[in-house]
Amino acid sequence: MSELKAEGIVAGHGATTVLHGVDLTVPAGSTTAILGPSGCGKTTLLRVIAGFHRPDAGRVVVADRDVFGAGLNIAPEHRGLGYVAQEGALFPHLSVADNITFGLRRGDPGRATRLTELLDLVGLPREVAGRSPDQLSGGQQQRVALARALARRPRVVLLDEPFSSLDAGLRASTRRAVADALAAEGVTVLMVTHDQDEALSFADQIVVMDAGRILQAGSPLDVYTAPADRVTAGFLGDLVTVVGRAHDGRVESALGTHATDSAAEGAVEVALRPEQIVLHSADQPGIRTGAFGTVRHCDYFGHDALVHVALDDGSEIAARLGAGGQVPRTGERVTASVTGSVLTYPL
Amino acid sequence: MTSTSTLSRRGTGGIGPVAISAVVVAGICVLPLLVILATATESGLGVAAQQVFRPRVGELLGNTVSLVLVTTTACVVVGVGAAWLVERTELPAARWWRLALVAPLAVPAFVNAYAWVSLRPSLTGLGGAALITTLSYTPFVFLPVAALLRGLDSRWEDSARSLGLGAWGTFAKIVLPQVRPALLGGALLVALHLLAEFGVLAMLRFPTFTTAILDQYEAAFDTTAGSVLATVLMVLTALVLTGERFARGRVSLARIGSGVRVQPQRVPLGRWAGPAIVGLTTWVLLSLGVPLYAVGHWLGAGGTPILSPALLGALSSTVGLALTAGVLTTVAAFPVALLLHRRRTLLTESIERITYFASSLPGVVVALALVTVAIRWIGPLYQTPFLLVIAYAILFIPRAMVSIRAALAQAPGGLLEAARSLGDSPWRATRRVLLPLIAPGLLSGFAMVFLATCVELTATLLLAPTGTTTLATGFWAASDSLDYGVAAPYALMMILVSAPLTWLLLSNSTKDTR
């Protein structure tokens, strides 16, 4: 059963069309992330669903109720959706408590209980209730924004780049707290992001979008390991590509012969993740498999390192080394071999 | 409850109550323009042309144009020079100079003229008119240029110096281009005020289109001949506005990148400190000292009690009119500002241009148009306070708009949408979220209009109901009959009323660049 459905959404700003017939289904209880580069239309799609942007065509269904379609355009306040904007959009003239209870009716006797419930839910101490939003850190503001959106118990919550304004340290902990709160409330979540790590770690369904179209939808593992095309593969992480020749489920390239699931035949582009490449020092006796190359330079990140290697046939590749591995020096001779299956795309 | 709208365009919202109110406001603002054009051409274009191409019009044109050129240039030179001294050099007591250079705004130009003429009756003609208008209007240039110089990020100047440009080269290539929009904005304000100026020029017997229109109307109640002159004046206004737009070009002054603004180094004055201080002191004495001295002198010499019943009557009707105009104008400006803030379409751009142009028209044009409307079509409106308040609203709506739009721009984005997603209707979201946030802007817009209305002379002379005397018209009647002693308390009252305005403008300009 789907909690949220968009069909054939066409939308734009003035004369430019931003969404070219987008179809999206968010299963009940799932967390779906729309992943795409800036300007791909993902925020517009979210705003269409929320009711802030009127599409030119299409249909939007929330919890089995049509909210937009032919001759129908339900106002945002009647769509029963929670919405967390980029940077929270907290009302600066209201306290944290007034922000959170903004959507609850003034006479509602359950207001006070719901407030403490929500503060606990998003992991904020109860003392912050009386503070004004500008006295909170970015991460706390984001939690208040989420509590505010959940106050009316919506069945679906929309998150627009909710963590992009936070610095790296705060991002992981805020993301965890938000994910826990959403899971505890049991709501269906649709998030928009341009950060593939965020999408992969936060969501159980990933929808990849580019230039106003959806390229692929599936589980994080599926879209990471079996991207539908070259562009999608590039969004989801670093990609190493070399030219090769495919025949009958096997592909030959400078890196050797590998198994492939793709059906392409003939000249192909072979794509794989840097962590699939294993490097050995060429001086090491006994190693004669794989392709020879020279280390160009090394990006060292602490927890891992990306080693850029020029193969002897002229191809450029990159290999990811774990923290334990010895980082090779620039100019060192190495051999590169591949683990796992690779992706091939017709050239 | 569902709300459907088939009228709405792409994007958010639709043709809602906000857009409708904005269109109505713009329609009222553009009315004077249409009425004047219609009246001027009602006897045919040939007759209108005959009335335009007369030696008398040529003389008025020569006077008006030469006054605009001389005074605007003088204001720019003095205003920029003083702003640079105050903001970018080691001039001692810079804050006090800033206050002293803005303070002449508290003295209405026609009060300044009265002060000079009462002390020196021989002051007439272009020289006198240019002197007094320059003294009164220089703050229009000084204020924005000083604010800009103060806020200028010196990292650009530092970069230019590090790229091998000298101090003067940096000023010419980096500072001046950035000051230009503020300078042009100030110059535009000076030019528009000069086109609209009546009091100063009538007092100095220097005829321009504005004074001629009023003479014509008062002598003959002839709105047709007046409308022809007013049409020429509208063309001049349009030329000035276009000229400024053209000169401004497409400069983008957006700060690129974030980071902390770096306070610029102040230039040491060295042996120029003495001449600079003498120059500024002379200027302040002429622009502020002379009118204050004259008002004080006539207050003492007049022998009349300061708070006469006549003055109190004028004060109360002025305050009544100004309160009404302030509220009405702020209420009218709100939907226009909101619409412009929400989205930019052909409709909103046109509304912005129309209200801007219509409100740039001299007060005498707006007043003449409303008189024409009342005399010819809606008789019962003639000589009512309502008509006068409408004129104030048309004239001063940009002042309210500036404050409201600044407040709207400051309000963080996405708040209305957040409120909508929490169950509020558009109107309820506006009331609960937007209005509390922009309340200071609404208040300051109201104050601007209130204070401007208190010292408005030209439109009030034409439109005030018989028997209604305001501070400005009471002052005018007295000084027109050379009764300087009787005029003095009115002048004092107007200076006292305008003082908060000066403070408001100064604090607004300091706040912008924080």
PDB file of all heavy atoms in Angstrom, chain A residues 14 47 52 54 56 73 75-78 89-91 93 102-103 148, chain B residues 1 3 5 8 10 12 415 417-418 420-425 432 436:
ATOM      1  N   GLY A  14       7.517  29.926 -14.554  1.00  0.00           N
ATOM      2  CA  GLY A  14       7.383  30.763 -15.732  1.00  0.00           C
ATOM      3  C   GLY A  14       7.443  29.915 -16.985  1.00  0.00           C
ATOM      4  O   GLY A  14       6.688  28.953 -17.122  1.00  0.00           O
ATOM      5  N   ARG A  47       7.647  20.489  -3.234  1.00  0.00           N
ATOM      6  CA  ARG A  47       6.720  21.612  -3.054  1.00  0.00           C
ATOM      7  C   ARG A  47       5.389  21.376  -3.766  1.00  0.00           C
ATOM      8  O   ARG A  47       4.349  21.848  -3.326  1.00  0.00           O
ATOM      9  CB  ARG A  47       7.373  22.906  -3.542  1.00  0.00           C
ATOM     10  CG  ARG A  47       8.543  23.350  -2.662  1.00  0.00           C
ATOM     11  CD  ARG A  47       9.332  24.492  -3.282  1.00  0.00           C
ATOM     12  NE  ARG A  47       8.475  25.628  -3.553  1.00  0.00           N
ATOM     13  CZ  ARG A  47       8.084  26.488  -2.626  1.00  0.00           C
ATOM     14  NH1 ARG A  47       8.504  26.357  -1.397  1.00  0.00           N
ATOM     15  NH2 ARG A  47       7.291  27.478  -2.927  1.00  0.00           N
ATOM     16  N   PHE A  52       2.613  23.823  -2.249  1.00  0.00           N
ATOM     17  CA  PHE A  52       3.158  25.181  -2.326  1.00  0.00           C
ATOM     18  C   PHE A  52       3.419  25.598  -3.760  1.00  0.00           C
ATOM     19  O   PHE A  52       3.635  26.759  -4.049  1.00  0.00           O
ATOM     20  CB  PHE A  52       4.469  25.299  -1.540  1.00  0.00           C
ATOM     21  CG  PHE A  52       4.324  24.966  -0.097  1.00  0.00           C
ATOM     22  CD1 PHE A  52       5.275  24.193   0.546  1.00  0.00           C
ATOM     23  CD2 PHE A  52       3.229  25.413   0.624  1.00  0.00           C
ATOM     24  CE1 PHE A  52       5.142  23.880   1.876  1.00  0.00           C
ATOM     25  CE2 PHE A  52       3.095  25.102   1.955  1.00  0.00           C
ATOM     26  CZ  PHE A  52       4.046  24.332   2.585  1.00  0.00           C
ATOM     27  N   ARG A  54       1.987  24.948  -7.720  1.00  0.00           N
ATOM     28  CA  ARG A  54       0.918  24.346  -8.490  1.00  0.00           C
ATOM     29  C   ARG A  54       1.501  23.769  -9.780  1.00  0.00           C
ATOM     30  O   ARG A  54       2.075  24.494 -10.589  1.00  0.00           O
ATOM     31  CB  ARG A  54      -0.120  25.412  -8.815  1.00  0.00           C
ATOM     32  CG  ARG A  54      -1.371  24.872  -9.448  1.00  0.00           C
ATOM     33  CD  ARG A  54      -2.232  26.032  -9.949  1.00  0.00           C
ATOM     34  NE  ARG A  54      -3.200  25.520 -10.880  1.00  0.00           N
ATOM     35  CZ  ARG A  54      -4.419  25.139 -10.501  1.00  0.00           C
ATOM     36  NH1 ARG A  54      -4.789  25.252  -9.262  1.00  0.00           N
ATOM     37  NH2 ARG A  54      -5.272  24.657 -11.389  1.00  0.00           N
ATOM     38  N   ASP A  56       1.527  21.978 -13.602  1.00  0.00           N
ATOM     39  CA  ASP A  56       0.715  22.179 -14.796  1.00  0.00           C
ATOM     40  C   ASP A  56      -0.120  20.950 -15.105  1.00  0.00           C
ATOM     41  O   ASP A  56      -1.148  21.044 -15.769  1.00  0.00           O
ATOM     42  CB  ASP A  56       1.622  22.496 -15.990  1.00  0.00           C
ATOM     43  CG  ASP A  56       2.409  23.771 -15.748  1.00  0.00           C
ATOM     44  OD1 ASP A  56       1.832  24.691 -15.152  1.00  0.00           O
ATOM     45  OD2 ASP A  56       3.594  23.821 -16.111  1.00  0.00           O
ATOM     46  N   ASN A  73      -7.466  21.111  -6.334  1.00  0.00           N
ATOM     47  CA  ASN A  73      -6.191  21.568  -5.775  1.00  0.00           C
ATOM     48  C   ASN A  73      -6.421  21.889  -4.304  1.00  0.00           C
ATOM     49  O   ASN A  73      -6.826  22.985  -3.947  1.00  0.00           O
ATOM     50  CB  ASN A  73      -5.682  22.804  -6.538  1.00  0.00           C
ATOM     51  CG  ASN A  73      -4.346  23.260  -6.018  1.00  0.00           C
ATOM     52  OD1 ASN A  73      -3.648  22.514  -5.321  1.00  0.00           O
ATOM     53  ND2 ASN A  73      -3.984  24.494  -6.325  1.00  0.00           N
ATOM     54  N   ALA A  75      -5.735  22.956  -0.640  1.00  0.00           N
ATOM     55  CA  ALA A  75      -4.779  23.895  -0.058  1.00  0.00           C
ATOM     56  C   ALA A  75      -3.792  23.160   0.844  1.00  0.00           C
ATOM     57  O   ALA A  75      -4.136  22.121   1.419  1.00  0.00           O
ATOM     58  CB  ALA A  75      -5.523  24.972   0.733  1.00  0.00           C
ATOM     59  N   PRO A  76      -2.569  23.674   0.981  1.00  0.00           N
ATOM     60  CA  PRO A  76      -1.534  22.974   1.754  1.00  0.00           C
ATOM     61  C   PRO A  76      -1.996  22.615   3.164  1.00  0.00           C
ATOM     62  O   PRO A  76      -1.657  21.532   3.671  1.00  0.00           O
ATOM     63  CB  PRO A  76      -0.383  23.973   1.817  1.00  0.00           C
ATOM     64  CG  PRO A  76      -0.674  25.027   0.837  1.00  0.00           C
ATOM     65  CD  PRO A  76      -2.090  24.920   0.402  1.00  0.00           C
ATOM     66  N   GLU A  77      -2.779  23.524   3.796  1.00  0.00           N
ATOM     67  CA  GLU A  77      -3.163  23.283   5.190  1.00  0.00           C
ATOM     68  C   GLU A  77      -4.157  22.141   5.335  1.00  0.00           C
ATOM     69  O   GLU A  77      -4.412  21.667   6.437  1.00  0.00           O
ATOM     70  CB  GLU A  77      -3.702  24.571   5.825  1.00  0.00           C
ATOM     71  CG  GLU A  77      -4.963  25.134   5.195  1.00  0.00           C
ATOM     72  CD  GLU A  77      -4.671  26.173   4.115  1.00  0.00           C
ATOM     73  OE1 GLU A  77      -3.619  26.051   3.465  1.00  0.00           O
ATOM     74  OE2 GLU A  77      -5.496  27.079   3.915  1.00  0.00           O
ATOM     75  N   HIS A  78      -4.742  21.696   4.200  1.00  0.00           N
ATOM     76  CA  HIS A  78      -5.728  20.610   4.286  1.00  0.00           C
ATOM     77  C   HIS A  78      -5.195  19.302   3.716  1.00  0.00           C
ATOM     78  O   HIS A  78      -5.953  18.375   3.482  1.00  0.00           O
ATOM     79  CB  HIS A  78      -7.005  21.014   3.557  1.00  0.00           C
ATOM     80  CG  HIS A  78      -7.629  22.262   4.112  1.00  0.00           C
ATOM     81  ND1 HIS A  78      -7.981  22.381   5.435  1.00  0.00           N
ATOM     82  CD2 HIS A  78      -7.941  23.442   3.525  1.00  0.00           C
ATOM     83  CE1 HIS A  78      -8.494  23.589   5.642  1.00  0.00           C
ATOM     84  NE2 HIS A  78      -8.460  24.254   4.502  1.00  0.00           N
ATOM     85  N   ALA A  89      12.971  26.962   9.117  1.00  0.00           N
ATOM     86  CA  ALA A  89      11.932  27.994   9.033  1.00  0.00           C
ATOM     87  C   ALA A  89      11.153  28.127  10.335  1.00  0.00           C
ATOM     88  O   ALA A  89       9.932  28.186  10.343  1.00  0.00           O
ATOM     89  CB  ALA A  89      10.982  27.731   7.855  1.00  0.00           C
ATOM     90  N   LEU A  90      11.857  28.183  11.442  1.00  0.00           N
ATOM     91  CA  LEU A  90      11.179  28.414  12.726  1.00  0.00           C
ATOM     92  C   LEU A  90      10.702  29.861  12.775  1.00  0.00           C
ATOM     93  O   LEU A  90      11.359  30.748  12.245  1.00  0.00           O
ATOM     94  CB  LEU A  90      12.132  28.149  13.889  1.00  0.00           C
ATOM     95  CG  LEU A  90      12.624  26.711  14.019  1.00  0.00           C
ATOM     96  CD1 LEU A  90      13.492  26.563  15.248  1.00  0.00           C
ATOM     97  CD2 LEU A  90      11.462  25.737  14.075  1.00  0.00           C
ATOM     98  N   PHE A  91       9.549  30.081  13.432  1.00  0.00           N
ATOM     99  CA  PHE A  91       9.030  31.443  13.542  1.00  0.00           C
ATOM    100  C   PHE A  91       9.879  32.204  14.559  1.00  0.00           C
ATOM    101  O   PHE A  91       9.881  31.867  15.747  1.00  0.00           O
ATOM    102  CB  PHE A  91       7.569  31.417  13.968  1.00  0.00           C
ATOM    103  CG  PHE A  91       6.706  30.587  13.061  1.00  0.00           C
ATOM    104  CD1 PHE A  91       5.937  29.546  13.550  1.00  0.00           C
ATOM    105  CD2 PHE A  91       6.688  30.841  11.699  1.00  0.00           C
ATOM    106  CE1 PHE A  91       5.156  28.777  12.701  1.00  0.00           C
ATOM    107  CE2 PHE A  91       5.906  30.075  10.844  1.00  0.00           C
ATOM    108  CZ  PHE A  91       5.141  29.041  11.345  1.00  0.00           C
ATOM    109  N   HIS A  93       9.602  35.002  16.004  1.00  0.00           N
ATOM    110  CA  HIS A  93       8.951  35.800  17.045  1.00  0.00           C
ATOM    111  C   HIS A  93       8.256  34.932  18.081  1.00  0.00           C
ATOM    112  O   HIS A  93       7.645  35.450  19.004  1.00  0.00           O
ATOM    113  CB  HIS A  93       7.957  36.764  16.413  1.00  0.00           C
ATOM    114  CG  HIS A  93       6.849  36.086  15.649  1.00  0.00           C
ATOM    115  ND1 HIS A  93       7.098  35.260  14.576  1.00  0.00           N
ATOM    116  CD2 HIS A  93       5.510  36.097  15.805  1.00  0.00           C
ATOM    117  CE1 HIS A  93       5.961  34.808  14.108  1.00  0.00           C
ATOM    118  NE2 HIS A  93       4.969  35.295  14.833  1.00  0.00           N
ATOM    119  N   PHE A 102       2.288  25.357  17.375  1.00  0.00           N
ATOM    120  CA  PHE A 102       1.654  26.298  16.435  1.00  0.00           C
ATOM    121  C   PHE A 102       0.451  25.675  15.724  1.00  0.00           C
ATOM    122  O   PHE A 102      -0.571  26.313  15.526  1.00  0.00           O
ATOM    123  CB  PHE A 102       2.690  26.749  15.396  1.00  0.00           C
ATOM    124  CG  PHE A 102       2.232  27.855  14.495  1.00  0.00           C
ATOM    125  CD1 PHE A 102       2.474  29.174  14.816  1.00  0.00           C
ATOM    126  CD2 PHE A 102       1.558  27.571  13.304  1.00  0.00           C
ATOM    127  CE1 PHE A 102       2.063  30.195  13.984  1.00  0.00           C
ATOM    128  CE2 PHE A 102       1.132  28.592  12.465  1.00  0.00           C
ATOM    129  CZ  PHE A 102       1.384  29.903  12.810  1.00  0.00           C
ATOM    130  N   GLY A 103       0.603  24.426  15.311  1.00  0.00           N
ATOM    131  CA  GLY A 103      -0.449  23.784  14.521  1.00  0.00           C
ATOM    132  C   GLY A 103      -1.564  23.175  15.360  1.00  0.00           C
ATOM    133  O   GLY A 103      -2.548  22.684  14.808  1.00  0.00           O
ATOM    134  N   ARG A 148       7.663  20.291  15.481  1.00  0.00           N
ATOM    135  CA  ARG A 148       6.544  21.131  15.063  1.00  0.00           C
ATOM    136  C   ARG A 148       5.745  20.443  13.947  1.00  0.00           C
ATOM    137  O   ARG A 148       4.514  20.451  13.949  1.00  0.00           O
ATOM    138  CB  ARG A 148       7.092  22.475  14.568  1.00  0.00           C
ATOM    139  CG  ARG A 148       6.051  23.474  14.201  1.00  0.00           C
ATOM    140  CD  ARG A 148       6.678  24.791  13.799  1.00  0.00           C
ATOM    141  NE  ARG A 148       7.318  24.719  12.490  1.00  0.00           N
ATOM    142  CZ  ARG A 148       7.907  25.749  11.896  1.00  0.00           C
ATOM    143  NH1 ARG A 148       7.961  26.923  12.506  1.00  0.00           N
ATOM    144  NH2 ARG A 148       8.458  25.616  10.721  1.00  0.00           N
TER     145      ARG A 148
ATOM    146  N   MET B   1     -13.010  20.681   3.967  1.00  0.00           N
ATOM    147  CA  MET B   1     -12.866  22.018   3.358  1.00  0.00           C
ATOM    148  C   MET B   1     -11.727  22.015   2.349  1.00  0.00           C
ATOM    149  O   MET B   1     -10.576  21.801   2.680  1.00  0.00           O
ATOM    150  CB  MET B   1     -12.554  23.049   4.451  1.00  0.00           C
ATOM    151  CG  MET B   1     -13.738  23.521   5.225  1.00  0.00           C
ATOM    152  SD  MET B   1     -14.681  24.736   4.298  1.00  0.00           S
ATOM    153  CE  MET B   1     -13.609  26.165   4.424  1.00  0.00           C
ATOM    154  N   SER B   3      -9.982  24.198  -0.928  1.00  0.00           N
ATOM    155  CA  SER B   3     -10.043  25.433  -1.687  1.00  0.00           C
ATOM    156  C   SER B   3      -9.450  25.182  -3.058  1.00  0.00           C
ATOM    157  O   SER B   3      -8.317  24.737  -3.178  1.00  0.00           O
ATOM    158  CB  SER B   3      -9.277  26.540  -0.971  1.00  0.00           C
ATOM    159  OG  SER B   3      -7.904  26.338  -1.103  1.00  0.00           O
ATOM    160  N   SER B   5      -8.728  26.679  -6.945  1.00  0.00           N
ATOM    161  CA  SER B   5      -8.626  27.941  -7.662  1.00  0.00           C
ATOM    162  C   SER B   5      -8.225  27.651  -9.087  1.00  0.00           C
ATOM    163  O   SER B   5      -7.219  27.016  -9.354  1.00  0.00           O
ATOM    164  CB  SER B   5      -7.610  28.837  -6.963  1.00  0.00           C
ATOM    165  OG  SER B   5      -6.798  29.461  -7.914  1.00  0.00           O
ATOM    166  N   SER B   8      -5.416  30.578 -10.653  1.00  0.00           N
ATOM    167  CA  SER B   8      -4.016  30.748 -10.293  1.00  0.00           C
ATOM    168  C   SER B   8      -3.103  30.323 -11.431  1.00  0.00           C
ATOM    169  O   SER B   8      -3.397  29.439 -12.209  1.00  0.00           O
ATOM    170  CB  SER B   8      -3.684  29.956  -9.046  1.00  0.00           C
ATOM    171  OG  SER B   8      -3.926  28.611  -9.256  1.00  0.00           O
ATOM    172  N   ARG B  10       0.954  29.473 -12.881  1.00  0.00           N
ATOM    173  CA  ARG B  10       2.032  28.588 -12.456  1.00  0.00           C
ATOM    174  C   ARG B  10       2.635  29.118 -11.171  1.00  0.00           C
ATOM    175  O   ARG B  10       2.636  30.308 -10.925  1.00  0.00           O
ATOM    176  CB  ARG B  10       3.130  28.579 -13.510  1.00  0.00           C
ATOM    177  CG  ARG B  10       2.887  27.591 -14.573  1.00  0.00           C
ATOM    178  CD  ARG B  10       4.090  27.573 -15.479  1.00  0.00           C
ATOM    179  NE  ARG B  10       4.169  26.274 -16.125  1.00  0.00           N
ATOM    180  CZ  ARG B  10       5.143  25.932 -16.950  1.00  0.00           C
ATOM    181  NH1 ARG B  10       6.102  26.750 -17.196  1.00  0.00           N
ATOM    182  NH2 ARG B  10       5.162  24.758 -17.490  1.00  0.00           N
ATOM    183  N   THR B  12       3.235  29.563  -7.009  1.00  0.00           N
ATOM    184  CA  THR B  12       2.387  29.662  -5.833  1.00  0.00           C
ATOM    185  C   THR B  12       1.294  30.689  -6.051  1.00  0.00           C
ATOM    186  O   THR B  12       1.390  31.569  -6.867  1.00  0.00           O
ATOM    187  CB  THR B  12       3.215  30.097  -4.625  1.00  0.00           C
ATOM    188  OG1 THR B  12       3.973  31.220  -5.016  1.00  0.00           O
ATOM    189  CG2 THR B  12       4.102  28.992  -4.145  1.00  0.00           C
ATOM    190  N   LEU B 415       8.438  30.919   6.017  1.00  0.00           N
ATOM    191  CA  LEU B 415       7.642  30.902   7.245  1.00  0.00           C
ATOM    192  C   LEU B 415       6.153  30.749   6.956  1.00  0.00           C
ATOM    193  O   LEU B 415       5.451  30.019   7.661  1.00  0.00           O
ATOM    194  CB  LEU B 415       7.878  32.174   8.055  1.00  0.00           C
ATOM    195  CG  LEU B 415       9.295  32.338   8.585  1.00  0.00           C
ATOM    196  CD1 LEU B 415       9.404  33.590   9.423  1.00  0.00           C
ATOM    197  CD2 LEU B 415       9.688  31.124   9.402  1.00  0.00           C
ATOM    198  N   GLU B 417       4.838  29.309   4.396  1.00  0.00           N
ATOM    199  CA  GLU B 417       4.604  27.934   3.966  1.00  0.00           C
ATOM    200  C   GLU B 417       4.609  26.992   5.154  1.00  0.00           C
ATOM    201  O   GLU B 417       3.799  26.063   5.237  1.00  0.00           O
ATOM    202  CB  GLU B 417       5.661  27.523   2.943  1.00  0.00           C
ATOM    203  CG  GLU B 417       5.494  28.296   1.660  1.00  0.00           C
ATOM    204  CD  GLU B 417       6.557  27.975   0.650  1.00  0.00           C
ATOM    205  OE1 GLU B 417       7.541  27.306   1.033  1.00  0.00           O
ATOM    206  OE2 GLU B 417       6.398  28.382  -0.503  1.00  0.00           O
ATOM    207  N   ALA B 418       5.528  27.235   6.084  1.00  0.00           N
ATOM    208  CA  ALA B 418       5.560  26.403   7.281  1.00  0.00           C
ATOM    209  C   ALA B 418       4.229  26.512   8.019  1.00  0.00           C
ATOM    210  O   ALA B 418       3.657  25.506   8.455  1.00  0.00           O
ATOM    211  CB  ALA B 418       6.713  26.829   8.189  1.00  0.00           C
ATOM    212  N   ARG B 420       1.333  27.312   6.727  1.00  0.00           N
ATOM    213  CA  ARG B 420       0.303  26.642   5.932  1.00  0.00           C
ATOM    214  C   ARG B 420       0.354  25.141   6.170  1.00  0.00           C
ATOM    215  O   ARG B 420      -0.669  24.492   6.345  1.00  0.00           O
ATOM    216  CB  ARG B 420       0.503  26.925   4.433  1.00  0.00           C
ATOM    217  CG  ARG B 420       0.321  28.364   4.015  1.00  0.00           C
ATOM    218  CD  ARG B 420      -1.097  28.826   4.117  1.00  0.00           C
ATOM    219  NE  ARG B 420      -2.020  28.093   3.276  1.00  0.00           N
ATOM    220  CZ  ARG B 420      -2.209  28.305   1.969  1.00  0.00           C
ATOM    221  NH1 ARG B 420      -1.520  29.223   1.354  1.00  0.00           N
ATOM    222  NH2 ARG B 420      -3.093  27.601   1.293  1.00  0.00           N
ATOM    223  N   SER B 421       1.572  24.588   6.192  1.00  0.00           N
ATOM    224  CA  SER B 421       1.682  23.137   6.366  1.00  0.00           C
ATOM    225  C   SER B 421       1.246  22.731   7.763  1.00  0.00           C
ATOM    226  O   SER B 421       0.970  21.567   8.023  1.00  0.00           O
ATOM    227  CB  SER B 421       3.109  22.673   6.086  1.00  0.00           C
ATOM    228  OG  SER B 421       3.927  22.935   7.197  1.00  0.00           O
ATOM    229  N   LEU B 422       1.161  23.701   8.691  1.00  0.00           N
ATOM    230  CA  LEU B 422       0.695  23.386  10.040  1.00  0.00           C
ATOM    231  C   LEU B 422      -0.791  23.690  10.181  1.00  0.00           C
ATOM    232  O   LEU B 422      -1.319  23.754  11.291  1.00  0.00           O
ATOM    233  CB  LEU B 422       1.494  24.188  11.066  1.00  0.00           C
ATOM    234  CG  LEU B 422       2.971  23.777  11.115  1.00  0.00           C
ATOM    235  CD1 LEU B 422       3.780  24.763  11.916  1.00  0.00           C
ATOM    236  CD2 LEU B 422       3.120  22.381  11.694  1.00  0.00           C
ATOM    237  N   GLY B 423      -1.474  23.903   9.072  1.00  0.00           N
ATOM    238  CA  GLY B 423      -2.930  23.977   9.116  1.00  0.00           C
ATOM    239  C   GLY B 423      -3.517  25.372   9.038  1.00  0.00           C
ATOM    240  O   GLY B 423      -4.726  25.523   9.188  1.00  0.00           O
ATOM    241  N   ASP B 424      -2.698  26.414   8.806  1.00  0.00           N
ATOM    242  CA  ASP B 424      -3.257  27.754   8.751  1.00  0.00           C
ATOM    243  C   ASP B 424      -3.721  28.105   7.341  1.00  0.00           C
ATOM    244  O   ASP B 424      -3.055  27.774   6.371  1.00  0.00           O
ATOM    245  CB  ASP B 424      -2.200  28.786   9.172  1.00  0.00           C
ATOM    246  CG  ASP B 424      -2.144  28.943  10.676  1.00  0.00           C
ATOM    247  OD1 ASP B 424      -2.856  28.184  11.362  1.00  0.00           O
ATOM    248  OD2 ASP B 424      -1.395  29.804  11.149  1.00  0.00           O
ATOM    249  N   SER B 425      -4.831  28.837   7.260  1.00  0.00           N
ATOM    250  CA  SER B 425      -5.261  29.372   5.977  1.00  0.00           C
ATOM    251  C   SER B 425      -4.325  30.529   5.628  1.00  0.00           C
ATOM    252  O   SER B 425      -3.609  31.017   6.496  1.00  0.00           O
ATOM    253  CB  SER B 425      -6.693  29.881   6.098  1.00  0.00           C
ATOM    254  OG  SER B 425      -6.716  30.975   6.997  1.00  0.00           O
ATOM    255  N   ARG B 432      -0.838  35.501  11.867  1.00  0.00           N
ATOM    256  CA  ARG B 432      -0.097  34.931  12.998  1.00  0.00           C
ATOM    257  C   ARG B 432       1.410  35.017  12.820  1.00  0.00           C
ATOM    258  O   ARG B 432       2.160  35.029  13.798  1.00  0.00           O
ATOM    259  CB  ARG B 432      -0.480  33.453  13.182  1.00  0.00           C
ATOM    260  CG  ARG B 432      -1.872  33.254  13.734  1.00  0.00           C
ATOM    261  CD  ARG B 432      -2.183  31.782  13.837  1.00  0.00           C
ATOM    262  NE  ARG B 432      -1.554  31.145  14.981  1.00  0.00           N
ATOM    263  CZ  ARG B 432      -1.467  29.828  15.132  1.00  0.00           C
ATOM    264  NH1 ARG B 432      -1.911  29.022  14.205  1.00  0.00           N
ATOM    265  NH2 ARG B 432      -0.899  29.323  16.204  1.00  0.00           N
ATOM    266  N   PRO B 436       3.138  40.015  12.794  1.00  0.00           N
ATOM    267  CA  PRO B 436       3.994  40.288  13.960  1.00  0.00           C
ATOM    268  C   PRO B 436       5.450  40.554  13.568  1.00  0.00           C
ATOM    269  O   PRO B 436       6.113  41.377  14.182  1.00  0.00           O
ATOM    270  CB  PRO B 436       3.905  38.994  14.785  1.00  0.00           C
ATOM    271  CG  PRO B 436       2.696  38.309  14.307  1.00  0.00           C
ATOM    272  CD  PRO B 436       2.461  38.730  12.894  1.00  0.00           C
TER     273      PRO B 436
END
